[in-house]
Coordinates of all heavy atoms in Angstrom, one line a residue:
M1 N 79.9 99.6 96.7 CA 80.7 98.4 96.4 C 81.6 98.3 97.7 O 82.1 99.2 98.1 CB 81.5 98.7 95.2 CG 82.5 97.6 94.9 SD 83.3 97.8 93.4 CE 82.1 97.3 92.2
D2 N 81.6 97.0 98.2 CA 82.5 96.8 99.3 C 83.9 96.6 99.1 O 84.3 96.5 97.9 CB 81.9 95.6 100.1 CG 82.1 94.2 99.5 OD1 82.5 94.2 98.3 OD2 81.8 93.2 100.1
A3 N 84.8 96.8 100.1 CA 86.2 96.6 99.9 C 86.6 95.4 99.2 O 87.5 95.6 98.2 CB 86.9 96.8 101.2
E4 N 86.1 94.3 99.5 CA 86.6 93.0 98.9 C 86.3 93.0 97.4 O 87.2 92.6 96.6 CB 86.0 91.8 99.5 CG 86.6 90.5 99.0 CD 86.4 89.2 99.8 OE1 85.8 89.4 100.9 OE2 86.7 88.2 99.3
N5 N 85.2 93.5 97.0 CA 84.9 93.6 95.5 C 85.9 94.5 94.8 O 86.2 94.2 93.7 CB 83.4 94.0 95.3 CG 82.5 92.8 95.5 OD1 82.8 91.6 95.4 ND2 81.3 93.1 96.0
I6 N 86.1 95.6 95.4 CA 87.1 96.5 94.9 C 88.5 95.8 94.6 O 89.1 95.9 93.6 CB 87.2 97.8 95.7 CG1 85.9 98.6 95.7 CG2 88.4 98.6 95.3 CD1 85.9 99.7 96.7
L7 N 88.9 95.2 95.7 CA 90.2 94.5 95.7 C 90.2 93.3 94.5 O 91.2 93.2 93.9 CB 90.6 93.9 97.0 CG 90.8 94.9 98.1 CD1 91.0 94.2 99.5 CD2 91.8 95.9 97.8
L8 N 89.1 92.7 94.5 CA 89.0 91.6 93.5 C 89.0 92.1 92.2 O 89.7 91.5 91.2 CB 87.7 90.7 93.7 CG 87.6 89.9 94.9 CD1 86.2 89.4 95.1 CD2 88.5 88.6 94.6
Q9 N 88.5 93.2 91.8 CA 88.4 93.9 90.6 C 89.8 94.5 90.2 O 90.4 94.4 89.0 CB 87.5 95.1 90.5 CG 86.0 94.5 90.4 CD 85.0 95.6 90.0 OE1 85.4 96.6 89.5 NE2 83.7 95.3 90.3
V10 N 90.6 95.0 91.2 CA 91.9 95.5 91.0 C 92.7 94.3 90.6 O 93.6 94.4 89.6 CB 92.5 96.2 92.3 CG1 94.0 96.4 92.2 CG2 91.7 97.5 92.5
I11 N 92.7 93.1 91.3 CA 93.5 92.0 91.0 C 93.2 91.5 89.5 O 94.1 91.2 88.8 CB 93.3 91.0 91.9 CG1 93.9 91.4 93.4 CG2 94.0 89.6 91.6 CD1 93.5 90.5 94.5
A12 N 91.9 91.5 89.2 CA 91.6 91.1 87.8 C 92.0 92.0 86.8 O 92.4 91.6 85.7 CB 90.0 91.0 87.8
E13 N 92.0 93.3 87.1 CA 92.5 94.3 86.1 C 93.9 94.4 85.9 O 94.5 94.3 84.8 CB 92.0 95.7 86.6 CG 92.5 96.9 85.8 CD 91.7 97.0 84.4 OE1 90.5 96.4 84.3 OE2 92.2 97.6 83.5
Y14 N 94.7 94.2 87.0 CA 96.1 94.4 86.8 C 97.0 93.1 86.9 O 98.2 93.0 86.5 CB 96.7 95.3 87.9 CG 96.2 96.8 87.8 CD1 95.2 97.2 88.7 CD2 96.4 97.4 86.7 CE1 94.7 98.5 88.5 CE2 95.9 98.8 86.5 CZ 95.0 99.3 87.4 OH 94.5 100.6 87.4
G15 N 96.2 92.1 87.5 CA 97.0 90.8 87.7 C 97.7 90.6 89.0 O 98.2 91.6 89.6
A16 N 97.8 89.3 89.3 CA 98.5 89.0 90.6 C 100.1 89.3 90.6 O 100.4 89.9 91.7 CB 98.3 87.5 90.8
D17 N 100.7 89.2 89.6 CA 102.1 89.6 89.6 C 102.3 91.0 89.7 O 103.2 91.4 90.5 CB 102.7 89.1 88.3 CG 102.9 87.6 88.2 OD1 102.9 86.9 89.2 OD2 103.1 87.1 87.0
A18 N 101.5 91.8 89.0 CA 101.6 93.3 89.1 C 101.2 93.7 90.6 O 101.9 94.6 91.1 CB 100.7 94.0 88.1
Q19 N 100.2 93.1 91.2 CA 99.9 93.5 92.5 C 101.0 93.1 93.6 O 101.1 93.8 94.5 CB 98.5 92.9 92.9 CG 97.4 93.7 92.0 CD 97.6 95.2 92.0 OE1 98.1 95.8 91.1 NE2 97.0 95.9 93.0
T20 N 101.5 91.9 93.3 CA 102.7 91.5 94.1 C 103.7 92.5 94.1 O 104.4 92.9 95.2 CB 103.0 90.1 93.8 OG1 102.0 89.2 94.0 CG2 104.3 89.6 94.6
D21 N 104.2 92.9 92.8 CA 105.1 93.9 92.7 C 104.8 95.2 93.4 O 105.6 95.9 94.1 CB 105.4 94.4 91.3 CG 106.1 93.2 90.6 OD1 106.6 92.3 91.3 OD2 106.1 93.2 89.3
M22 N 103.4 95.6 93.4 CA 102.9 96.8 94.1 C 103.1 96.7 95.6 O 103.4 97.6 96.3 CB 101.4 97.1 93.7 CG 101.0 98.4 94.3 SD 101.9 99.8 93.7 CE 101.2 100.0 92.1
M23 N 102.9 95.5 96.1 CA 103.1 95.2 97.5 C 104.6 95.5 97.9 O 104.8 96.1 99.0 CB 102.8 93.7 97.8 CG 103.0 93.3 99.2 SD 101.6 93.8 100.3 CE 102.4 94.2 101.8
I24 N 105.5 95.0 97.1 CA 106.9 95.2 97.4 C 107.1 96.8 97.5 O 107.8 97.3 98.3 CB 107.8 94.5 96.5 CG1 107.6 93.0 96.6 CG2 109.2 95.0 96.5 CD1 108.2 92.2 95.4
E25 N 106.6 97.4 96.5 CA 106.8 98.9 96.4 C 106.2 99.6 97.6 O 106.8 100.5 98.2 CB 106.1 99.4 95.1 CG 106.4 100.9 94.9 CD 105.7 101.4 93.7 OE1 105.7 100.7 92.6 OE2 105.2 102.6 93.5
E26 N 104.9 99.3 98.0 CA 104.4 99.9 99.2 C 105.1 99.6 100.5 O 105.2 100.5 101.3 CB 102.9 99.5 99.2 CG 102.0 99.9 98.1 CD 101.9 101.5 97.9 OE1 102.3 102.2 98.8 OE2 101.4 102.0 96.9
M27 N 105.6 98.3 100.7 CA 106.3 98.1 101.8 C 107.6 98.9 101.8 O 108.0 99.5 102.9 CB 106.7 96.7 101.8 CG 105.6 95.7 102.2 SD 106.0 94.0 102.4 CE 106.9 93.5 100.9
S28 N 108.2 99.2 100.7 CA 109.5 100.0 100.7 C 109.1 101.4 101.0 O 109.9 102.1 101.8 CB 110.0 99.9 99.2 OG 111.0 100.8 99.0
E29 N 107.9 101.9 100.6 CA 107.5 103.3 100.9 C 107.3 103.5 102.4 O 107.7 104.5 103.0 CB 106.3 103.7 100.1 CG 106.7 103.9 98.6 CD 105.5 104.2 97.7 OE1 104.4 104.4 98.3 OE2 105.7 104.2 96.5
L30 N 106.7 102.5 103.0 CA 106.5 102.5 104.4 C 107.9 102.4 105.2 O 108.1 103.2 106.2 CB 105.7 101.3 104.9 CG 105.4 101.3 106.5 CD1 104.8 102.5 107.0 CD2 104.5 100.0 106.7
T31 N 108.8 101.7 104.7 CA 110.1 101.6 105.3 C 110.8 103.0 105.2 O 111.3 103.4 106.3 CB 110.9 100.5 104.5 OG1 110.4 99.3 104.7 CG2 112.4 100.5 105.1
K32 N 110.7 103.6 104.1 CA 111.3 104.9 103.9 C 110.7 105.9 104.9 O 111.4 106.8 105.5 CB 111.1 105.3 102.5 CG 112.1 104.7 101.5 CD 111.9 104.9 100.1 CE 111.7 106.2 99.7 NZ 111.5 106.5 98.3
A33 N 109.3 105.9 104.9 CA 108.6 106.8 105.9 C 109.0 106.6 107.4 O 109.2 107.6 108.0 CB 107.1 106.7 105.7
L34 N 109.2 105.3 107.7 CA 109.6 105.0 109.2 C 111.0 105.5 109.4 O 111.3 106.2 110.4 CB 109.6 103.6 109.3 CG 108.1 103.0 109.4 CD1 108.1 101.5 109.3 CD2 107.5 103.3 110.7
L35 N 111.8 105.4 108.4 CA 113.3 105.9 108.6 C 113.4 107.3 108.7 O 114.2 107.9 109.5 CB 114.2 105.2 107.5 CG 114.5 103.8 107.5 CD1 115.1 103.3 106.3 CD2 115.4 103.5 108.7
K36 N 112.6 108.0 107.7 CA 112.5 109.4 107.8 C 112.1 109.9 109.1 O 112.6 111.0 109.7 CB 111.6 110.0 106.7 CG 111.6 111.5 106.5 CD 111.0 111.9 105.3 CE 111.1 113.4 105.1 NZ 110.4 113.9 104.0
H37 N 111.0 109.4 109.7 CA 110.5 109.7 111.0 C 111.7 109.7 112.1 O 111.8 110.4 113.1 CB 109.4 108.9 111.4 CG 108.8 109.3 112.9 ND1 108.2 110.5 113.1 CD2 108.7 108.6 114.0 CE1 107.9 110.6 114.4 NE2 108.3 109.3 114.9
R38 N 112.5 108.6 112.0 CA 113.5 108.4 113.0 C 114.6 109.5 112.8 O 115.2 109.9 113.9 CB 114.2 107.0 112.8 CG 113.3 105.9 113.3 CD 113.8 104.5 113.1 NE 115.1 104.3 113.7 CZ 115.7 103.1 113.7 NH1 115.0 102.0 113.3 NH2 116.9 103.0 114.1
R39 N 114.8 109.9 111.5 CA 115.7 111.1 111.4 C 115.2 112.3 111.8 O 115.9 113.2 112.2 CB 116.1 111.2 109.8 CG 117.1 110.1 109.4 CD 117.7 110.5 108.0 NE 116.8 110.8 107.1 CZ 116.2 109.9 106.3 NH1 116.5 108.6 106.4 NH2 115.3 110.3 105.3
Y40 N 113.8 112.6 111.7 CA 113.3 113.8 112.0 C 112.1 113.6 113.0 O 110.8 113.7 112.7 CB 112.7 114.6 110.8 CG 113.8 114.7 109.7 CD1 113.8 113.9 108.5 CD2 114.9 115.6 109.9 CE1 114.7 114.0 107.6 CE2 115.8 115.8 108.8 CZ 115.7 114.9 107.8 OH 116.8 115.1 106.8
P41 N 112.3 113.2 114.3 CA 111.3 112.8 115.1 C 110.3 113.8 115.6 O 109.1 113.6 115.9 CB 112.0 112.2 116.3 CG 113.4 112.8 116.3 CD 113.7 113.1 114.9
G42 N 110.7 115.1 115.5 CA 109.8 116.3 115.8 C 108.9 116.7 114.7 O 108.0 117.4 114.9
D43 N 109.1 116.2 113.5 CA 108.2 116.5 112.3 C 107.0 115.7 112.3 O 107.0 114.6 111.9 CB 109.1 116.4 111.0 CG 108.5 116.8 109.8 OD1 107.2 117.3 109.9 OD2 109.1 116.9 108.8
E44 N 105.9 116.4 112.6 CA 104.6 115.6 112.7 C 104.1 115.1 111.2 O 103.5 114.2 111.1 CB 103.5 116.5 113.1 CG 103.2 116.3 114.7 CD 102.9 115.0 115.1 OE1 102.0 114.3 114.7 OE2 103.8 114.4 115.9
S45 N 104.7 115.7 110.2 CA 104.3 115.4 108.8 C 104.8 113.9 108.6 O 104.2 113.2 107.7 CB 104.7 116.3 107.8 OG 106.1 116.3 107.7
T46 N 105.9 113.5 109.3 CA 106.3 112.2 109.0 C 105.4 111.2 109.6 O 105.3 110.1 109.0 CB 107.7 112.1 109.7 OG1 107.7 112.3 111.1 CG2 108.8 113.0 109.0
V47 N 104.7 111.6 110.7 CA 103.7 110.6 111.2 C 102.6 110.4 110.4 O 102.1 109.3 110.1 CB 103.3 111.1 112.7 CG1 102.1 110.1 113.1 CG2 104.5 111.1 113.6
D48 N 102.2 111.5 109.7 CA 101.0 111.4 108.8 C 101.4 110.6 107.6 O 100.6 109.9 107.1 CB 100.6 112.9 108.3 CG 99.8 113.6 109.3 OD1 99.2 113.0 110.1 OD2 99.7 114.9 109.2
N49 N 102.7 110.7 107.1 CA 103.2 109.9 106.0 C 103.2 108.4 106.4 O 102.8 107.5 105.6 CB 104.6 110.4 105.6 CG 105.0 109.8 104.3 OD1 106.1 109.2 104.2 ND2 104.2 109.8 103.2
I50 N 103.6 108.2 107.6 CA 103.7 106.8 108.1 C 102.2 106.2 108.0 O 102.0 105.0 107.5 CB 104.2 106.7 109.5 CG1 105.7 106.9 109.4 CG2 103.9 105.3 110.2 CD1 106.4 107.0 110.8
R51 N 101.2 107.0 108.6 CA 99.9 106.5 108.5 C 99.3 106.2 107.1 O 98.6 105.2 106.9 CB 99.0 107.3 109.3 CG 99.2 107.5 110.7 CD 98.4 108.6 111.4 NE 98.7 108.6 112.8 CZ 98.7 109.9 113.4 NH1 98.4 110.9 112.8 NH2 99.1 109.8 114.7
E52 N 99.7 107.1 106.2 CA 99.3 106.9 104.8 C 99.9 105.7 104.3 O 99.2 104.9 103.5 CB 99.6 108.2 104.0 CG 99.3 108.1 102.5 CD 99.6 109.3 101.7 OE1 100.1 110.2 102.4 OE2 99.4 109.2 100.5
E53 N 101.2 105.5 104.4 CA 101.8 104.4 103.9 C 101.3 102.9 104.5 O 101.3 102.0 103.9 CB 103.3 104.4 104.1 CG 104.0 105.5 103.2 CD 103.6 105.5 101.7 OE1 103.3 104.5 101.2 OE2 103.6 106.7 101.2
M54 N 101.0 103.1 105.9 CA 100.4 101.9 106.5 C 99.0 101.5 105.8 O 98.8 100.3 105.7 CB 100.2 102.2 108.0 CG 101.4 102.3 108.9 SD 101.1 103.0 110.6 CE 99.7 101.9 111.1
A55 N 98.4 102.5 105.6 CA 97.0 102.2 104.8 C 97.2 101.6 103.5 O 96.6 100.6 103.1 CB 96.2 103.5 104.6
D56 N 98.3 102.1 102.7 CA 98.6 101.5 101.5 C 99.1 99.9 101.6 O 98.6 99.1 101.0 CB 99.7 102.3 100.7 CG 99.2 103.6 100.2 OD1 98.0 103.8 100.1 OD2 100.1 104.4 100.0
V57 N 99.9 99.8 102.7 CA 100.4 98.4 102.9 C 99.3 97.5 103.3 O 99.2 96.3 102.9 CB 101.5 98.4 103.9 CG1 101.9 97.0 104.4 CG2 102.8 99.1 103.3
Q58 N 98.4 98.0 104.1 CA 97.2 97.2 104.6 C 96.4 96.7 103.4 O 95.9 95.6 103.3 CB 96.4 97.9 105.7 CG 95.4 97.0 106.2 CD 95.9 95.7 107.0 OE1 96.6 95.8 107.9 NE2 95.5 94.6 106.4
I59 N 96.1 97.7 102.5 CA 95.3 97.4 101.3 C 96.0 96.3 100.5 O 95.4 95.4 100.0 CB 94.9 98.7 100.5 CG1 94.0 99.6 101.3 CG2 94.4 98.4 99.1 CD1 93.9 101.0 100.8
M60 N 97.3 96.5 100.4 CA 98.0 95.5 99.6 C 98.0 94.2 100.2 O 97.9 93.1 99.7 CB 99.4 95.9 99.3 CG 99.5 97.2 98.4 SD 98.5 97.1 96.8 CE 99.2 95.6 96.1
L61 N 98.1 94.1 101.6 CA 98.1 92.9 102.4 C 96.8 92.2 102.2 O 96.7 90.9 102.1 CB 98.3 93.1 103.9 CG 99.8 93.3 104.3 CD1 99.8 93.7 105.8 CD2 100.5 92.0 104.2
D62 N 95.6 93.0 102.1 CA 94.3 92.4 101.9 C 94.3 91.7 100.5 O 93.8 90.6 100.3 CB 93.2 93.4 102.0 CG 93.1 94.0 103.4 OD1 93.5 93.3 104.3 OD2 92.5 95.1 103.5
Q63 N 95.0 92.4 99.6 CA 95.0 91.8 98.2 C 95.9 90.5 98.2 O 95.6 89.5 97.6 CB 95.7 92.7 97.2 CG 94.7 93.9 96.9 CD 95.3 94.8 95.9 OE1 95.6 94.4 94.8 NE2 95.4 96.0 96.2
M64 N 96.9 90.5 99.0 CA 97.9 89.3 99.1 C 97.1 88.1 99.7 O 97.2 87.0 99.2 CB 99.1 89.6 99.9 CG 100.1 90.6 99.3 SD 100.7 90.3 97.7 CE 99.7 91.3 96.6
R65 N 96.2 88.4 100.7 CA 95.4 87.3 101.3 C 94.5 86.8 100.2 O 94.2 85.6 100.3 CB 94.6 87.9 102.4 CG 95.4 88.1 103.7 CD 94.6 88.3 104.9 NE 95.5 88.8 106.0 CZ 95.9 90.0 106.3 NH1 95.4 91.0 105.6 NH2 96.7 90.3 107.2
I66 N 93.9 87.6 99.3 CA 93.1 87.2 98.3 C 93.9 86.3 97.2 O 93.4 85.2 96.8 CB 92.4 88.3 97.5 CG1 91.4 88.8 98.4 CG2 91.7 87.8 96.2 CD1 90.8 90.2 97.9
I67 N 95.1 86.7 96.9 CA 95.9 86.1 96.0 C 96.5 84.9 96.4 O 96.5 83.7 95.8 CB 97.0 87.0 95.3 CG1 96.4 88.1 94.6 CG2 98.0 86.3 94.5 CD1 97.4 89.3 94.3
Y68 N 97.1 84.8 97.7 CA 97.9 83.7 98.3 C 97.1 82.9 99.3 O 97.7 81.9 99.7 CB 99.2 84.2 98.8 CG 100.1 84.9 97.7 CD1 100.2 86.2 97.5 CD2 100.6 84.1 96.7 CE1 101.0 86.7 96.6 CE2 101.4 84.6 95.7 CZ 101.6 86.0 95.6 OH 102.3 86.5 94.6
G69 N 96.0 83.4 99.8 CA 95.3 82.5 100.7 C 95.4 83.2 102.1 O 96.2 84.1 102.5
D70 N 94.5 82.5 103.0 CA 94.3 83.0 104.3 C 95.7 82.7 105.2 O 96.3 81.7 105.1 CB 93.2 82.2 105.0 CG 92.8 82.7 106.3 OD1 93.2 83.8 106.8 OD2 92.4 81.8 107.1
D71 N 96.1 83.7 105.9 CA 97.3 83.6 106.7 C 97.0 83.5 108.3 O 97.8 83.5 109.1 CB 98.1 84.7 106.6 CG 97.6 86.1 107.0 OD1 96.4 86.2 107.1 OD2 98.4 87.0 107.2
S72 N 95.7 83.4 108.6 CA 95.2 83.4 110.0 C 95.9 82.4 110.9 O 96.2 82.6 112.1 CB 93.8 83.4 110.1 OG 93.2 82.3 109.7
Q73 N 96.1 81.2 110.3 CA 96.7 80.1 111.1 C 98.2 80.5 111.5 O 98.6 80.3 112.7 CB 96.7 78.8 110.3 CG 97.6 77.7 110.9 CD 97.7 76.5 110.0 OE1 97.1 76.4 109.0 NE2 98.6 75.5 110.4
Y74 N 98.9 81.1 110.6 CA 100.2 81.5 110.9 C 100.2 82.8 111.8 O 101.1 82.7 112.7 CB 101.0 81.9 109.6 CG 101.1 80.7 108.6 CD1 100.3 80.6 107.5 CD2 102.1 79.6 108.9 CE1 100.3 79.5 106.7 CE2 102.1 78.7 108.0 CZ 101.2 78.6 106.9 OH 101.3 77.4 106.0
R75 N 99.4 83.5 111.7 CA 99.2 84.7 112.6 C 98.9 84.2 114.0 O 99.6 84.7 115.0 CB 98.1 85.7 112.2 CG 98.4 86.5 111.0 CD 97.2 87.4 110.5 NE 96.5 87.9 111.6 CZ 96.8 89.2 112.1 NH1 97.8 89.9 111.6 NH2 96.1 89.8 113.1
E76 N 98.1 83.3 114.2 CA 97.7 82.7 115.5 C 99.0 82.0 116.1 O 99.3 82.2 117.3 CB 96.6 81.8 115.5 CG 95.3 82.5 115.2 CD 94.9 83.5 116.3 OE1 95.1 83.1 117.4 OE2 94.4 84.6 116.0
Q77 N 99.7 81.3 115.3 CA 100.9 80.6 115.9 C 101.9 81.6 116.2 O 102.6 81.5 117.3 CB 101.5 79.7 114.7 CG 100.7 78.5 114.4 CD 101.2 77.8 113.2 OE1 102.2 78.2 112.5 NE2 100.6 76.7 112.7
K78 N 102.1 82.6 115.5 CA 103.2 83.6 115.8 C 102.7 84.5 117.0 O 103.6 84.8 117.8 CB 103.5 84.5 114.5 CG 104.2 83.6 113.5 CD 104.5 84.4 112.3 CE 105.2 83.7 111.3 NZ 106.6 83.3 111.6
L79 N 101.4 84.8 117.1 CA 101.1 85.5 118.4 C 101.2 84.7 119.6 O 101.5 85.2 120.7 CB 99.5 86.0 118.1 CG 99.3 87.1 117.2 CD1 97.8 87.3 116.9 CD2 99.9 88.5 117.8
H80 N 100.9 83.4 119.5 CA 101.0 82.5 120.5 C 102.5 82.5 121.0 O 102.9 82.4 122.2 CB 100.6 81.0 120.2 CG 100.6 80.2 121.4 ND1 100.0 80.2 122.5 CD2 101.5 79.1 121.6 CE1 100.2 79.2 123.3 NE2 101.2 78.5 122.7
R81 N 103.5 82.3 120.0 CA 104.9 82.3 120.3 C 105.3 83.6 121.0 O 106.1 83.6 121.9 CB 105.7 82.1 119.0 CG 107.1 81.8 119.2 CD 107.9 81.5 118.0 NE 107.2 81.1 117.0 CZ 107.4 81.2 115.6 NH1 108.6 81.8 115.3 NH2 106.7 80.7 114.7
L82 N 104.8 84.8 120.5 CA 105.1 86.1 121.2 C 104.6 86.1 122.7 O 105.3 86.5 123.6 CB 104.5 87.2 120.4 CG 105.2 87.6 119.1 CD1 104.3 88.6 118.4 CD2 106.6 88.1 119.4
A83 N 103.4 85.5 122.8 CA 102.9 85.5 124.2 C 103.6 84.6 125.1 O 104.0 85.0 126.2 CB 101.4 84.9 124.1
Q84 N 104.2 83.5 124.6 CA 105.1 82.6 125.4 C 106.3 83.4 125.7 O 106.8 83.2 126.8 CB 105.5 81.3 124.5 CG 104.3 80.4 124.5 CD 104.8 79.2 123.7 OE1 105.4 79.3 122.6 NE2 104.5 78.0 124.2
R85 N 107.0 84.1 124.7 CA 108.2 84.9 125.1 C 107.9 85.9 126.1 O 108.8 86.2 126.8 CB 108.6 85.5 123.8 CG 109.2 84.6 122.8 CD 109.8 85.2 121.6 NE 110.2 84.3 120.5 CZ 110.2 84.5 119.3 NH1 110.0 85.6 118.9 NH2 110.6 83.6 118.4
L86 N 106.8 86.4 126.2 CA 106.4 87.5 127.2 C 105.9 86.9 128.5 O 105.7 87.6 129.4 CB 105.3 88.4 126.6 CG 105.8 89.3 125.4 CD1 104.5 90.0 124.9 CD2 106.8 90.3 125.9
G87 N 105.8 85.6 128.5 CA 105.4 84.8 129.8 C 103.9 85.0 129.9 O 103.5 84.8 131.1
I88 N 103.2 85.2 128.9 CA 101.8 85.2 129.0 C 101.1 84.1 128.1 O 100.1 84.4 127.4 CB 101.2 86.6 128.7 CG1 101.7 87.2 127.3 CG2 101.5 87.6 129.8 CD1 101.0 88.4 126.9
A89 N 101.7 82.9 128.0 CA 101.3 81.9 127.1 C 99.9 81.5 127.3 O 99.3 81.1 126.3 CB 102.3 80.7 127.3
G90 N 99.3 81.7 128.4 CA 97.9 81.3 128.6 C 97.0 82.4 128.1 O 95.7 82.1 128.1
A91 N 97.5 83.5 127.7 CA 96.6 84.6 127.2 C 95.9 84.2 125.9 O 96.5 83.5 125.0 CB 97.5 85.9 126.9
E92 N 94.8 84.6 125.6 CA 94.1 84.4 124.5 C 94.8 85.1 123.4 O 95.1 86.2 123.4 CB 92.6 84.7 124.6 CG 91.8 83.9 125.5 CD 91.7 82.5 125.0 OE1 91.4 82.3 123.8 OE2 91.8 81.6 125.8
T93 N 94.9 84.5 122.2 CA 95.5 85.2 121.0 C 94.5 85.1 119.8 O 93.5 84.5 119.9 CB 96.8 84.4 120.6 OG1 96.5 83.1 120.3 CG2 97.9 84.6 121.5

């Protein structure tokens, strides 16, 4: 079974509202992991925790795209704006 089918089944099973709440929870967990790493920069386990939480957030972002729609237009606009700020406006985004 491919990833999109799994995500579609999760959304069907738990519902869009529950998965949106889960998105908020996972973002909070990533925030906490990042802050912990800043407090203990020499602790390699904090980096592993950040990677794990990044994966959770990415999975939830994939579900948010299914629930709320494609965000690629906004991503492209924001990347273009960043390129302009860096003085590389002609760069491909």
Side-chain angles (χ1 to χ4, degrees):
M1 178 175 283
D2 70 352
E4 186 166 353
N5 283 333
I6 294 168
L7 298 177
L8 287 167
Q9 286 191 22
V10 167
I11 294 164
E13 177 74 21
Y14 299 111
D17 287 344
Q19 292 313 96
T20 299
D21 290 347
M22 185 61 75
M23 177 78 215
I24 295 165
E25 182 179 327
E26 295 297 349
M27 289 187 302
S28 173
E29 290 175 6
L30 177 56
T31 300
K32 287 170 42 180
L34 290 165
L35 289 170
K36 187 173 184 179
H37 179 67
R38 285 174 57 171
R39 279 194 311 273
Y40 309 106
D43 184 352
E44 264 309 298
S45 69
T46 61
V47 175
D48 285 339
N49 188 237
I50 289 169
R51 290 177 183 142
E52 180 180 354
E53 296 305 336
M54 286 170 52
D56 289 341
V57 167
Q58 186 60 62
I59 290 167
M60 296 311 302
L61 280 170
D62 293 341
Q63 290 181 58
M64 295 301 102
R65 284 185 190 97
I66 292 169
I67 294 167
Y68 296 107
D70 182 28
D71 66 339
S72 60
Q73 174 186 351
Y74 299 101
R75 287 175 44 87
E76 289 299 317
Q77 290 172 357
K78 290 179 182 287
L79 285 169
H80 182 71
R81 190 173 342 151
L82 285 171
Q84 285 181 316
R85 287 181 188 155
L86 293 171
I88 53 174
E92 290 296 315
T93 55

